[in-house]
Amino acid sequence: MPGERPSHRLLYIDNLRWSAISMVVVMHAAVTYSPFGEWYYREHPELGIGAKVGFAAYQSFQHAVAMGLLFGLAGFFSAGAVARNGVRSFVRERLQRLGLPLLLYVTLIGPLTEYFVAGSWRSNPPRTFVQDWWLHLRSGELLDGSGPLWFCLVLLLFSAAYAVVCQVRPMQFARRDPPSAGAVLGYATLIAIVTFVVGAAFPNATTVLNIDVHDFPQYPFMYVAGIAAWKGDWLRQIPSRVGRRWLWNGIWIGGALWIILVVAGGAMRGDVSPYGGGWHWQAAGIDAWRSFTCLALSLGAIVLYRDRFDGQGPIARFLTRNAFGVYVLHAPILVAITRLLHLLPASIALKFALASLGGILASFLIVGFVARRTPGLRAVL
């Protein structure tokens, strides 16, 4: 009924979330074989211009949308959790759900991945795992070793901030009309401006605790948007035609703008540094493109899943249950697969496809049938 908060589980959001997490696995497989990004293990193959452009296009769109979408969904669920259970229960649940996996990853999973799987902790003369672990702990480098779980660290900070806000001014469910196209574009402009200013102040991919400073401004804006979406009951109200329009605009207008930025900005000549921050028009352009594309495709994907994928069978329920565990554990699994594929005399395209599919499949199977059935790990994953 109008004015009442949703009382049932939103299966389409569950389906969207495990889909987005699966695409994170694909993104890290792409980084393994492409010239772009950082990851535990990379092949650095010789690629033709077509392969480089293909990887650049996929990674650009994925980078623009995936994490912002996940932060938006997290904000949506955070608002609902506080409304249902109160601030104290929300804080306890977030500490357990985010803090414990983060602690486990930083102290054990990440170091094991670095030392045994990726082989990136190499020393001369060689040291034992315990010696290397203690050295990285004393130097503070373990704090930078959150890997993909930088997301949990940031989300934990956002959750704490939201809890404080709710203590001062409790959030109430109040059904309102979804934002107009002009409001969405205005919000994208605000995100772009803040992102550009931060990127100008901290260029060249500055990171703090494994968090990219230039990318960071998008995340609190998307988290707040998710809270507002729950508060106003927007996800149920967005007309299907509006969602489809945002989806196609994100694909076609976003694609056209990306091509213009790449061609006009010098990327085709190998000069990509102006896109990474500083007072460059390329940085301003890519920040504006990323903000528009994130909001457009996020809105489009939410409506698409609401209209087409609002149901679950046994497989989808399995994927939902284990999606977060896959986010936590996919790194060592994917690295092991790509190192095995290094021995395969095959094209990079085939290796990328096998790594993507194998990484997703193996991660869900290992998490669902091994990790979450291991005493102690089920509560963490």
Side-chain angles (χ1 to χ4, degrees), residues 27-361:
M27 177 66 160
H28 290 147
V31 175
T32 302
Y33 299 109
S34 83
F36 315 108
E38 297 294 333
W39 186 237
Y40 291 104
Y41 171 74
R42 299 183 65 197
E43 292 267 310
H44 300 288
E46 291 292 331
L47 298 175
I49 187 64
K52 290 180 181 179
V53 172
F55 274 123
Y58 169 72
Q59 289 178 247
S60 295
F61 273 85
Q62 171 85 353
H63 180 68
V65 179
M67 301 314 299
L69 174 60
L70 286 173
F71 275 112
L73 297 179
F76 183 87
F77 284 112
S78 293
V82 171
R84 287 190 304 273
N85 305 316
V87 173
R88 291 186 180 180
S89 176
F90 171 71
V91 171
R92 286 195 299 269
E93 189 270 341
R94 292 291 86 183
L95 285 173
Q96 177 179 338
R97 186 64 171 158
L98 301 173
L100 290 180
L102 177 63
L103 181 63
L104 176 66
Y105 195 96
V106 169
T107 58
L108 189 60
I109 298 173
L112 288 172
T113 302
E114 296 266 20
Y115 190 90
F116 290 106
V117 186
S120 47
W121 278 5
R122 292 191 178 93
S123 59
N124 190 15
R127 293 186 292 263
T128 66
F129 170 74
V130 173
Q131 289 173 326
D132 258 344
W133 185 91
W134 180 246
L135 180 66
H136 283 75
L137 177 66
R138 291 179 59 187
S139 67
E141 291 180 50
L142 281 185
L143 298 177
D144 290 321
S146 57
L149 266 72
W150 65 265
F151 172 78
C152 291
L153 173 59
V154 174
L155 188 52
L156 195 59
L157 296 176
F158 290 172
S159 300
Y162 181 57
V164 172
V165 170
C166 288
Q167 284 283 68
V168 176
R169 185 179 179 182
M171 295 286 178
Q172 298 296 327
F173 182 85
R175 187 181 175 105
R176 297 178 182 176
D177 291 337
S180 64
V184 173
L185 292 175
Y187 200 59
T189 301
L190 177 61
I191 298 174
I193 291 172
V194 175
T195 303
F196 174 69
V197 171
V198 171
F202 301 95
N204 302 320
T206 302
T207 60
V208 176
L209 296 179
N210 200 36
I211 302 164
D212 191 301
V213 176
H214 187 187
D215 293 339
F216 180 81
Q218 183 194 74
Y219 307 143
F221 279 106
M222 292 300 292
Y223 186 78
V224 169
I227 294 171
W230 182 89
K231 182 179 177 182
D233 195 24
W234 290 344
L235 301 192
R236 289 197 296 180
Q237 297 186 73
I238 301 173
S240 297
R241 58 178 175 80
V242 173
R244 288 193 298 269
R245 188 182 305 147
W246 280 117
L247 183 64
W248 289 114
N249 285 341
I251 294 172
W252 293 110
I253 297 178
L257 291 175
W258 184 82
I259 292 172
I260 292 171
L261 285 167
V262 167
V263 173
M268 296 299 291
R269 299 188 299 272
D271 185 13
V272 297
S273 59
Y275 298 89
W279 298 99
H280 305 288
W281 73 263
Q282 294 95 327
I286 206 70
D287 290 339
W289 171 82
R290 187 181 295 131
S291 301
F292 165 77
T293 304
C294 178
L295 286 173
L297 292 183
S298 294
L299 285 169
I302 287 169
V303 173
L304 174 67
Y305 272 69
R306 185 197 67 192
D307 293 348
R308 301 291 182 87
F309 305 107
D310 189 21
Q312 290 191 338
I315 294 177
R317 288 195 293 270
F318 173 83
L319 297 174
T320 295
R321 287 195 304 271
N322 297 295
F324 181 69
V326 167
Y327 191 90
V328 175
L329 291 180
H330 79 273
I333 297 169
L334 179 63
V335 171
I337 289 172
T338 51
R339 295 201 73 175
L340 288 173
L341 288 174
H342 178 74
L343 305 175
L344 182 68
S347 67
I348 293 301
L350 179 58
K351 287 185 177 182
F352 170 54
L354 291 174
S356 299
L357 295 174
I360 293 170
L361 182 61

